[in-house]
Amino acid sequence: WVFCGVVMWGVVVSAPILAGQQSETSVLRAQEAAATVSADTIAVIVFSNITAAAEDEWVGAGIAETLAVDLAGDGALSVVGREKVSGALENLSSGRDSGVEATEAIEVRLGRRLGARWIVSGAYQRLGDRLRITARVVEVASAAVMHTAKVDGLMTELFALQDRLSADLRRGLPGGA
């Protein structure tokens, strides 16, 4: 198994330009700084397809959606909607450098912009009929990785793997079961 940098994508949402004098970058920075962090808000980013097999592209969005629903399920966490996360991520990703360090910085900026306390991101890799899913929870305020999780199994066990991943991620959150 190989784990490399995370690639993320989303829907383009344009940011307003204030007073015609500010650049889009300065507007985005102002929006990030102005975001109020909610103690119980989490955002889940679409998981990256490390192997880049076209037939597996759907898996990353499915994992993110499953985790978002599971994390919101008991009402203890407020989960930012997928469209809002994707739009904000696309705006922040425009023109950035690639690599793990850039991904970490974008996660923190995304969390601030969305007012989230935590960001969940990850990747999946398929090798034949085997599947590995890795995830991490980043605390936005400190930019620290609070918890990581990894599950391995068969592609036919995808739904069970997602459930195991969700349960592991919950344990990594404050008050997690």
Side-chain angles (χ1 to χ4, degrees), residues 86-104:
S86 294
L89 183 59
E90 182 64 29
N91 279 334
L92 291 173
S93 298
S94 299
R96 72 172 175 86
D97 293 330
S98 61
V100 173
E101 294 80 13
T103 299
E104 290 169 354

Side-chain angles (χ1 to χ4, degrees), residues 94-167:
S94 299
R96 72 172 175 86
D97 293 330
S98 61
V100 173
E101 294 80 13
T103 299
E104 290 169 354
I106 218 90
E107 288 173 350
V108 171
R109 290 175 53 210
L110 177 67
R112 288 183 184 138
R113 180 136 189 243
L114 295 170
R117 181 174 180 187
W118 301 286
I119 294 287
V120 175
S121 64
Y124 59 99
Q125 181 177 17
R126 183 174 180 180
L127 184 60
D129 64 346
R130 305 285 304 163
L131 181 67
R132 171 172 282 178
I133 308 170
T134 58
R136 66 187 190 162
V137 177
V138 174
E139 182 181 49
V140 173
S142 66
V145 175
M146 301 301 295
H147 185 68
T148 60
K150 173 181 71 171
V151 294
D152 293 316
L154 297 173
M155 184 66 177
T156 57
E157 302 170 330
L158 175 61
F159 300 114
L161 293 173
Q162 291 175 133
D163 291 343
R164 285 183 23 217
L165 185 67
S166 181

Side-chain angles (χ1 to χ4, degrees), residues 26-47:
S26 62
V27 170
L28 291 175
R29 285 186 185 134
Q31 288 172 343
E32 289 171 27
T36 303
V37 175
S38 174
D40 63 351
T41 301
I42 192 163
V44 182
I45 299 172
V46 171
F47 278 46

